[in-house]
Amino acid sequence: MKRLPVLVPLIWVCSVFYVGIFLFVGGFLLVRLEVNRTSTCADVLSPGAHVKGDFCLSEPRFRRAVVLIIDALKADFTRYDPENTAPKPFENKLPVLDEMASSHPSHARLYTFQADPPTTTMQRIKGFTTGSLPTFIDVGNNFASNAILEDNLVHQLGQVGKRVVFMGDDTWLSLFPKKFHRSLPFPSFNVKDLHTVDNGILQNIYPTMEGDDWDVLIAHFLGVDHCGHRFGPDHPAMAEKLSQMDGVIRSVIKRLKNDTLLVVMGDHGMTDTGDHGGESQKETDAALFLYSSSPLFPAPGSQVEPEVVPQTDLVPTLALLLGVPIPYSSVGQVLLPLFPQNGSQSAPTGLSQAEALWINVKQVNRFLETYSNMAKDIPPDSLSRLQADFSSLSSQYLATVHEGHPPPPELVVSMQNYLTAVRETCRISWARFNPFKMAAGLLILGIACILCYILSELSHIIIKEGLSKMSILSGLVVGLVVAAGQLFSQGYLELSWCLGAAALSSEVLFLWWTCGISQKVRWPHFHVLTPALLVLYLRCASLLSDSYVIYEGHVVTFLLFSLSVYVPLRLNWDGLLVPLPPPDTQKPPLLLPTALPSSVIRREATILLVWLALLVGSLYLSLSFHNCREEHGTCQPSPFLFPLSRIQDSQLRNIHYVISVASLAMWAYILHRWLRHYGNLNCSSLTVFSAGFLLPLACVCMGLHWAVSATPEDTFRHLSELIGFAQVFLPRAIFCLLSVGLLLLWVDPMTVFLKSRTPLNSRGSSLPPPKYRASTGISPQAELHHLIPQLYQRIRHSLEDGVTEDREANGRPAVEAYGLGTVYSAPLVLLCGLLGLALLLLHPEGMSLAFLLLLLEAGAVLHIHACSTTLSSLQRRLNDFSVPWAPVVSWSLAAAQFFHATGHLPTFPSIQWGAAFVGFPQGHTGTVLPASLVTLNTFSSHIIFAVSCPLLLFWPLVCEVRGAPSTRSARGQEIEDAVMEMRLRENPQKFSAALLQLAARYLFVNGAQVLASVCAAAILRRHLMVWKVFAPKLMFEACGFILGSVFVMLGITMVMRVDMAVGSLFKKLLPQNSR
């Protein structure tokens, strides 16, 4: 088998795809330009002030502030309904907020606090400290938080000498390094830990408040958020957490002084499942509570109160109340009810509403001018209109101040409208794209898809002639030339353009090379409109519709069902599902059409229909495991998506556990049964040790791990240490067992047992030879062994190039081979089994049944393909081992279908973050390992189907039957045995070409879907749903392609490793048996 001619083209085309994705994403998901300037006291002059800097020197409205951030404090959690006699666990658990707001209306207010998506913690902290709007790409930094470089409240407070003390979520320390007077951080990433952060704060907050070594105290509680992630809001643990927070707020209020402002806020909300990160109203609506022991608000009804407060508005409000400049890049608007109306005699000292608004307007205009000079992404007409509005406001305000009159209410409203207009203009403009990079990425991806198709159709030519090295080398040279030109002309290097030039030039040269090849060899007929490819095109077209993306799980299920049903319909249309009429006996034998026996045709047709029914049943049942998007309306997520620890009914929890363990046992049994049936467990290799010992042991450990994880925390308190140890030891032991199994599989992938026959005249050898069915090579005990007694002699004969075979007089072979007919597929099946268990461990326990359905669905697709190949052999000879488009498209659709059937969605809130803590309940010190675990969890279906893709090539040979035209000799005589996968070794060049063709076709199918997602994002970049639907879909599709392509290469490499082992085995045995 040729290895480099297969690997080099695949690595090259994958690299080209990666460059295209990198270029497009770099142009589509740009971070907005950050203005690294800082506001100063001289910028915030009160009207009529004559001394610069007097604002910071004057007495502020409040000298101190306590900011309590309750992570994921949803607005619904703070509402109190005394008539609700049967509240849910999250209802009526924070009565203190409603009590204070209703009984002390001039001291307290409760607002809905609206966050800007993405609703992840790091972006929200950035939003309510800088006052800026986040961009889509910032979501990737949530767990790798970099220091905030923009001007922010923490920096401004430190500039004027305020002592800021922080305690809680350690994310703040990475965002504001060395900015706090004193800090007490606690680890934040372990979502299963509900108490460490909160208890740490409670041990320190009250002594700190009673001391005098602070001016601003920030406490970030995480218990409510972690409780939502672990149990969801509708759980008794949430009631306990909210009640605890109610007590904390009451205790803090008792310790407040008159010069201290209390701010209680949530950074975001949560969905009904406890997740967040998206832009649904349940995720964006948090709570904001403001309180002061001294009067803070006007009398109720004296002015219009806002129903919703944007999070960015908190920044200028707190800045002016505490006497510091508004951060430079803030686009927020001061909350007017906290400032006295103009001319109010009973108002406390401080800025009036008009004065606060004017300072706010000047600051926003200053930022707008600076930003528009640095970046040209704000439309000129909008910028001119805003500048004209500011000029008008400035002249009106200064005129009224100069005349000594209070600003009229109309001017106050105009300033509010100006601030709102600036924020909305920035919100629209900061979806900033680079059209050149996007176009280059689109072009490279489009040509890459064409290259994949050409590789699949010309695989036999490329294996024979070799891929043009000039294409790759010339691309590298062009990339280096572009890099040198950039360094010479610009003085710096833009890696994206260097890679783009290299990829595009190599693509063009390959197309030119194929045109030259076409003049020397005969090209095959390209079939770009086959039914299978039409299904693929329909799938790609659906990605341009937000409705189809929203209901993608059902769409791919329907397409897979339709394509699977098409196979028997096509066979029936061609007359291949029923036996042919008796042949005309008057014709010579050589002129008779090739035909399978009627019994074989009926059997294959029955098997095909049975597996089709099993596939349909699996698809139907898999719909029970789908998750819900916000757009699904009244949809309820599957109960199997939640960990067993969330289920409060002990009987229901036990039923779920039994189903999960039974599904796990069935998974292991099916794998073991298949390997045993084909005789791959008879030898004593390391691979057999993995299948016979490590795999069952890992399943037992996984069942124990699920039992420990499902145990409620308060059930066995005296065994808490043992349970905690088991939650760490068991999953890590499973990871180690499976890793050892994978390593042994690579070191010794052979599953073949060779047995030399003892001569009949030897002592003690009077036993008769075993009988076997020569047509299939399967012994009467097929479920125990798969004996291929004559197969080794055929391979030996082909390797010896005609050397006389050494057979006994009775025609029995000198060597009997067990498992040789599935020598390639058996290691792949075991590889998928070990990988599947590792990926299942990263999912909730209920997904065990979904993974079993995945196994059955994959087996159904393989058997439908094998039966179709056998029956199609009546019409044409299949000597090139080519895999048609239909099973390849079905395989890709199955991967997409089970992405949804394992509870995943192309949305950020659906990411199962709990996977990061499997085996690491105490959290991680870095971000690489947890990110890797979450990635493996998210794209598990892509990984399994990609690594098992070569099975599409092997399965028709595994299911080979007697009498097929491919098993007939050139003289029309039936060959006695079915050689199964050994037919590939007899034709190494066709084997290599078929393997290259299969991988290229699978990459084409997945690459076309990436191209469709890229086109949808580019065409619909100004669509209302672009950041909610199309951009997340692009990110998930691109990541799925990258991981899928890597594991396709892994599967191909595994096949090559087995081929090397088979070759080494035969080279060792041939000299020994030839003597």
Side-chain angles (χ1 to χ4, degrees), residues 367-557:
F367 163 72
L368 189 63
E369 289 181 350
T370 304
Y371 184 83
S372 60
N373 291 330
M374 297 174 62
K376 306 299 180 182
D377 51 7
I378 297 180
D381 55 340
S382 300
L383 185 61
S384 301
R385 185 179 67 255
L386 292 173
Q387 290 174 342
D389 291 343
F390 175 75
S391 300
S392 175
L393 291 173
S394 178
S395 59
Q396 293 181 47
Y397 185 83
L398 293 178
T400 56
V401 171
H402 182 72
E403 295 172 359
H405 301 300
E410 295 79 8
L411 182 58
V412 172
V413 173
S414 298
M415 288 191 287
Q416 287 181 292
N417 293 337
Y418 170 79
L419 293 171
T420 302
V422 171
R423 178 165 53 192
E424 294 306 313
T425 300
C426 292
R427 190 189 304 275
I428 296 173
S429 302
W430 284 344
R432 189 163 63 96
F433 307 107
N434 187 324
F436 297 106
K437 281 190 177 182
M438 292 170 61
L442 267 172
L443 180 62
I444 292 174
L445 286 173
I447 300 178
C449 289
I450 297 174
L451 296 186
C452 271
Y453 187 84
I454 294 176
L455 281 178
S456 71
E457 299 300 320
L458 300 182
S459 58
H460 61 289
I461 298 176
I462 292 175
I463 293 297
K464 183 178 180 180
E465 302 288 336
L467 181 67
S468 173
K469 296 179 181 179
M470 286 299 297
S471 302
I472 300 176
L473 295 178
S474 300
L476 294 176
V477 170
V478 171
L480 292 175
V481 170
V482 172
Q486 288 180 343
L487 289 174
F488 180 77
S489 60
Q490 301 177 358
Y492 61 92
L493 185 68
E494 288 189 60
L495 181 62
S496 57
W497 289 117
C498 299
L499 294 175
L504 188 59
S505 59
S506 66
E507 288 178 328
V508 172
L509 287 172
F510 177 79
L511 293 177
W512 176 78
W513 176 77
T514 54
C515 292
I517 287 292
S518 64
Q519 300 174 2
K520 300 179 182 179
V521 298
R522 183 181 177 184
W523 279 44
H525 296 290
F526 286 179
H527 303 285
V528 295
L529 294 179
T530 63
L533 289 180
L534 290 177
V535 170
L536 173 63
Y537 303 150
L538 184 61
R539 155 83 170 144
C540 294
S542 70
L543 297 178
L544 293 166
S545 167
D546 58 335
S547 299
Y548 278 93
V549 174
I550 291 171
Y551 291 95
E552 183 185 12
H554 293 78
V555 172
V556 293
T557 302

